[in-house]
Amino acid sequence: MSENTLFILKPDAVARNLVGEIISRFEKKGFKILKLKMFTFTLEQAKKFYDIHKDKPFFGELTSFITSGPVVAAIIEGNNAIATTRIMIGATKSFEADSGSIRGDFGLGLSENIIHASDSQESFDHESRVAFE
Ligand code: CMP
């Protein structure tokens, strides 16, 4: 079933020049890039994007990091895109993520965990609206 999802290459991925390498994984997997945008989140936009985490103790750290530098947002299309992308990015804690996953191969952090991807259709609708507004 073809569906769309969104991923964000976080400021650590951009600063470490990993943009091409990571996007290439999605292209090689067979996804089609529908939209691609580099920008820096405003604090207001970051709070809206991560609204679901607003009561978590790490909310301040999360919004502070995601606004700390440019990010690259992409909307991609392909079979089972939401779940397959979540498998490709790996566990939230990069230091526990499987080798072969994006976080497992490129990161060691938690806040600084390289990439975000929508985890449901509802998140995709919300997050793509905020990122591409
Ligand atoms: P992401 O996929 O962008 O979704 C929410 C983010 O919150 C997550 O990746 C992590 O970067 C971050 N996060 C989750 N748990 C914690 C935590 N305990 N401390 C700091 N950041 C966290």
Side-chain angles (χ1 to χ4, degrees):
M1 179 195 59
S2 188
E3 64 184 8
N4 294 353
T5 194
L6 167 122
F7 65 78
I8 305 269
L9 304 182
K10 297 188 180 187
D12 53 338
V14 176
R16 291 175 52 206
N17 300 322
L18 294 171
V19 172
E21 187 150 0
I22 295 172
I23 289 177
S24 172
R25 289 193 177 206
F26 289 95
E27 289 189 305
K28 287 176 186 160
K29 182 73 178 168
F31 288 114
K32 182 171 181 200
I33 298 170
L34 299 183
K35 291 190 183 182
L36 196 58
K37 176 185 176 187
M38 178 178 263
F39 67 104
T40 302
F41 272 98
T42 64
L43 185 56
E44 186 190 10
Q45 198 178 11
K47 286 180 174 170
K48 210 192 298 182
F49 185 85
Y50 277 128
D51 183 62
I52 198 168
H53 296 300
K54 66 174 183 296
D55 297 324
K56 307 266 172 64
F58 56 84
F59 188 61
E61 188 180 325
L62 178 59
T63 51
S64 161
F65 175 59
I66 203 73
T67 56
S68 67
V71 302
V72 172
I75 294 180
I76 59 172
E77 177 187 36
N79 189 31
N80 204 44
I82 295 173
T84 300
T85 294
R86 296 286 293 182
I87 293 168
M88 287 173 69
I89 75 174
T92 304
K93 297 175 180 173
S94 304
F95 49 89
E96 290 179 356
D98 290 339
S99 290
S101 70
I102 291 165
R103 287 167 173 158
D105 286 351
F106 298 123
L108 279 173
L110 173 50
S111 259
E112 300 198 15
N113 65 352
I114 309 280
I115 185 167
H116 167 86
S118 304
D119 64 1
S120 64
Q121 182 66 49
E122 192 186 11
S123 308
F124 168 71
D125 292 342
H126 170 70
E127 293 169 0
S128 56
R129 220 175 297 124
V130 177
F132 283 90
E133 69 187 358

